[in-house]
Amino acid sequence: VAAEQRANYQEQILKMQNSSEKLQEMYSKFMNMYKIEDAQRRGYLFEEFLIDIFNFFDLDAKNSFKIDGEQIDGAFSFDGADYLIEAKWTKTPIDKTELSVFHEKIESKLKNTLGLFVSVNGYTETASNSGFRNNNMVLMDGQDIVQILENRISLPDLLMQKRRHAAQTGEIMFRVQC
């Protein structure tokens, strides 16, 4: 019995080391994207990068796709809900107009579809404080991504806290403290 427990313990340690190494690898990849000057290329790489993170945390992520001329940057399932992803890596923070466009994409899907808008460089104050009727999205930024990659919080825990905060307060941007 002791040998079996020791083997299980060693296996858990190996999994944690592999997980930590993978997060470090993704962190380096993320930081290297800052060096890419071609905004369109960086945007596509960022979409792929996000799908990798979501799949790393077993969130059944799907790559970008088009529906009737509408671009969806990705999708995933979490805690019984389906999410659409909007991914932006722009020089300036995202404004309310872009959130409104994404809100309309979500509204055109099944009633319980949610959205995750990920903007590396954040959101304008107007955007992050804007209320949408029947709010159906949460916001994530580059600071959130770094917290995940530095293993300060898991992606599922981050999403749960953001969604809970939005459900309780109506605020779609919430800074998770780790």
Side-chain angles (χ1 to χ4, degrees), residues 50-69:
L50 287 175
I51 298 305
D52 287 346
I53 290 176
F54 282 83
N55 284 329
F56 175 78
F57 286 99
D58 296 323
L59 296 179
D60 191 29
K62 306 294 183 226
N63 290 321
S64 64
F65 54 95
K66 288 187 180 183
I67 304 172
D68 298 324

Side-chain angles (χ1 to χ4, degrees), residues 6 11 14 16 19 21 24 28 38 40 48 56 59 65 75 98 108 117 137-138 146-147 151 157 159 172-175:
R6 194 170 29 259
E11 185 179 325
L14 185 59
M16 287 179 6
S19 176
E21 289 172 8
Q24 288 175 352
S28 294
D38 180 343
Q40 187 173 23
E48 292 173 7
F56 175 78
L59 296 179
F65 54 95
E98 293 192 60
S108 70
F117 200 117
M137 78 174 95
V138 293
V146 169
Q147 288 188 95
N151 208 15
D157 287 344
L159 290 171
I172 59 176
M173 182 59 188
F174 175 62
R175 178 71 52 218

Side-chain angles (χ1 to χ4, degrees), residues 7-94:
N8 285 340
Y9 180 71
Q10 288 174 341
E11 185 179 325
Q12 288 176 346
I13 289 173
L14 185 59
K15 283 181 182 178
M16 287 179 6
Q17 287 173 339
N18 290 341
S19 176
S20 180
E21 289 172 8
K22 180 65 176 168
L23 284 173
Q24 288 175 352
E25 180 184 309
M26 286 191 280
Y27 183 85
S28 294
K29 189 175 182 179
F30 180 65
M31 290 300 150
N32 285 332
M33 281 190 274
Y34 277 95
K35 300 174 187 172
I36 300 171
E37 294 189 23
D38 180 343
Q40 187 173 23
R41 180 170 172 259
R42 186 180 58 235
Y44 287 127
L45 290 173
F46 182 53
E47 287 175 21
E48 292 173 7
F49 173 80
L50 287 175
I51 298 305
D52 287 346
I53 290 176
F54 282 83
N55 284 329
F56 175 78
F57 286 99
D58 296 323
L59 296 179
D60 191 29
K62 306 294 183 226
N63 290 321
S64 64
F65 54 95
K66 288 187 180 183
I67 304 172
D68 298 324
E70 180 181 76
Q71 174 72 30
I72 305 294
D73 293 340
F76 67 98
S77 298
F78 173 65
D79 199 34
D82 292 314
Y83 286 77
L84 301 180
I85 300 171
E86 183 72 17
K88 296 286 185 186
W89 192 317
T90 57
K91 290 182 181 179
T92 58
I94 296 299

